[in-house]
Amino acid sequence: MVSLYTSFFFVFTIMAVFNPYLQVMIRNLGYSHDMVGLLLAVFETAGIVGPLLIARHVDNRGSSKNTILFCTGMSALGVTLLMVSTSIWMTMFALTILAFFLRSLIPIIDSYANNRLHGDAQKYAVLRSGGTIGFVLFSLLLAVTHRPDLTSNSNIGFHVLGTFLLFMFPVLAWKKEPKRPKIPHDDSTQAEGKWYDLAFIVGLVIIGLNRMSMSSIASFFSLYLVEELGINAISLMNAIASGSEFGALILAGYLLQRKKVLPVQLLMISSGAMVVRLLIYAMVPTFGGVLVAQFLHSLCYGFFHPAAIFLVARRVRRSHRTLGMSMYVSLGIGLPTVLGSSLGGLIVEQFGYRALFMDYSLFALASVVVGLASYKLMTSKTLETI
């Protein structure tokens, strides 16, 4: 399990270097806020399609290790193209290649880990906490060393490429794919071709509304810090947020595995915390306000992610688990982020960051409402018993 834990550690070091600075790289190319939003939407659209197509390949072939190594190499190509981009078409192509393959890494790892652990939420949370540690440590390292140079796309890109290389080493040590259990012939649900249930679809709606609100942070938080508040400590702020999620991840995994809480309950708590977090950004635009809001990431993501993973593992059959994880990433996260990035850029350009965060808090509120309205369905019998 050491190689798998290390894989989680390093895949999130990639995110620590890449995610906060993608919007900065695009802005460095001279694009306006609304164009930044449009280009991020292109990135997110490719990030929807890629994981879905690659997931079916993994489910059919059981080739997680080779696939993830290939995706890492192609992601490195996308970063390289973005570093040397000289036109909007080249930028769009680089973002498409990058998102298509980079966004496929985490659902493959999540599916592989859940298959290895037979869906144990507590053990998964411990593994996933390795990702949090990796993200926090690298974010703090960047903050202390004042890296990367925010004015140089080449400098940012070389830091990202370095994390790709670090990530590939533990993946090379992955064990052979675990054998899948045979599905009984009298399983009527499988015979009808239903590899998911209705609660999975509704769960994606709850998740999607939550992530629609989160898209305002994912796409514009770094620019909000730099342009609105004059704060350049992007890595430090991201380290604070991710560090706060560590305990919440472990607690959520423990509670889910012990059946003390249900996924839908944690998802609603996460959405409620998101409402508060976005309103703080809007109403208290100060260093202190942002600091408090960053600590709410413990609930906004620390409770959210294990609940979403556990929901997929229980509501999607194991034979389609990689596809289910990819649908969570693509449709539950990617699609809302596409819409959020496109609309968010226009809102910032016309009305500013305060309007952005206030408006997007309504999506999180809607997520809570849908969770309450569908509570009976979301607590019904599951396809997979874990």
Side-chain angles (χ1 to χ4, degrees):
M1 299 302 289
V2 174
S3 62
L4 190 52
Y5 187 91
T6 311
S7 298
F8 272 99
F9 181 94
F10 282 116
V11 78
F12 280 92
T13 64
I14 296 174
M15 305 310 167
V17 181
F18 175 76
N19 285 352
Y21 301 109
L22 174 60
Q23 54 200 270
V24 176
M25 291 182 75
I26 297 174
R27 192 84 163 105
N28 284 343
L29 294 174
Y31 299 112
S32 61
H33 288 105
D34 52 349
M35 186 56 69
V36 170
L38 177 62
L39 289 171
L40 287 173
V42 171
F43 176 82
E44 295 297 341
T45 301
I48 292 172
V49 178
L52 293 176
L53 295 180
I54 292 174
R56 288 310 297 146
H57 170 77
V58 173
D59 280 334
N60 291 333
R61 302 290 182 88
S63 55
S64 296
K65 179 178 177 179
N66 291 336
T67 301
I68 212 164
L69 290 172
F70 177 75
C71 288
T72 305
M74 293 301 294
S75 299
L77 174 62
V79 170
T80 303
L81 292 174
L82 187 61
M83 290 164 58
V84 299
S85 177
T86 56
S87 69
I88 188 170
W89 298 110
M90 188 173 181
T91 300
M92 292 175 69
F93 180 70
L95 291 172
T96 300
I97 293 294
L98 182 54
F100 191 96
F101 294 100
L102 181 64
R103 283 294 174 83
S104 301
L105 298 182
I106 292 180
I108 295 174
I109 294 178
D110 280 335
S111 177
Y112 179 83
N114 272 275
N115 288 340
R116 285 280 302 274
L117 300 173
H118 304 291
D120 190 307
Q122 187 173 358
K123 291 180 180 178
Y124 169 80
V126 173
L127 279 178
R128 175 57 183 77
S129 69
T132 298
I133 294 172
F135 191 99
V136 171
L137 288 181
F138 268 69
S139 295
L140 289 175
L141 178 63
L142 294 177
V144 170
T145 59
H146 303 290
R147 296 175 182 273
D149 180 359
L150 299 185
T151 64
S152 171
N153 280 1
S154 294
N155 191 265
I156 296 172
F158 280 124
H159 279 78
V160 178
L161 292 175
T163 59
F164 282 143
L165 185 61
L166 291 173
F167 169 63
M168 294 178 76
F169 286 117
V171 174
L172 290 170
W174 280 13
K175 294 181 179 180
K176 187 178 179 181
E177 295 287 304
K179 292 183 178 180
R180 298 168 184 168
K182 293 182 179 180
I183 300 172
H185 292 291
D186 61 350
D187 189 322
S188 60
T189 302
Q190 183 69 14
E192 294 173 7
K194 294 180 181 178
W195 50 270
Y196 63 91
D197 62 14
L198 181 58
F200 172 64
I201 303 300
V202 176
L204 287 181
V205 174
I206 296 172
I207 289 168
L209 288 169
N210 181 301
R211 294 300 95 175
M212 183 73 174
S213 65
M214 184 67 181
S215 69
S216 60
I217 302 173
S219 297
F220 296 99
F221 179 69
S222 295
L223 295 178
Y224 166 71
L225 287 178
V226 174
E227 299 179 351
E228 186 79 3
L229 305 183
I231 298 173
N232 292 320
I234 297 174
S235 293
L236 177 61
M237 284 298 177
N238 280 283
I240 291 171
S242 293
S244 72
E245 81 186 26
F246 181 83
L249 279 169
I250 301 298
L251 177 60
Y254 172 82
L255 293 175
L256 287 167
Q257 189 62 30
R258 295 292 187 274
K259 296 181 172 59
K260 302 293 184 181
V261 296
L262 296 172
V264 67
Q265 294 169 336
L266 292 184
L267 290 174
M268 287 191 293
I269 293 173
S270 169
S271 295
M274 185 67 71
V275 173
V276 177
R277 183 179 181 182
L278 292 178
L279 290 179
I280 292 176
Y281 289 143
M283 305 303 293
V284 192
T286 64
F287 180 86
V290 170
L291 190 62
V292 171
Q294 290 301 86
F295 279 108
L296 282 174
H297 189 74
S298 59
L299 301 180
C300 295
Y301 190 80
F303 275 10
F304 169 85
H305 184 67
I309 292 296
F310 200 57
L311 183 145
V312 173
R314 297 169 80 225
R315 299 292 181 177
V316 173
R317 294 203 177 278
R318 180 167 178 165
S319 61
H320 289 71
R321 186 167 286 167
T322 307
L323 178 59
M325 295 296 178
S326 295
M327 289 180 68
Y328 156 54
V329 171
S330 296
L331 303 181
I333 298 177
L335 180 59
T337 305
V338 169
L339 300 174
S341 297
S342 303
L343 180 61
L346 296 174
I347 293 175
V348 172
E349 193 75 19
Q350 296 295 323
F351 305 105
Y353 290 102
R354 181 177 182 180
L356 173 73
F357 294 129
M358 291 187 69
D359 290 348
Y360 276 52
S361 69
L362 297 177
F363 293 110
L365 182 61
S367 179
V368 177
V369 172
V370 173
L372 290 172
S374 60
Y375 190 79
K376 184 176 180 180
L377 172 65
M378 300 304 295
T379 56
S380 62
K381 185 179 179 181
T382 61
L383 283 180
E384 294 281 353
T385 301
I386 298 174

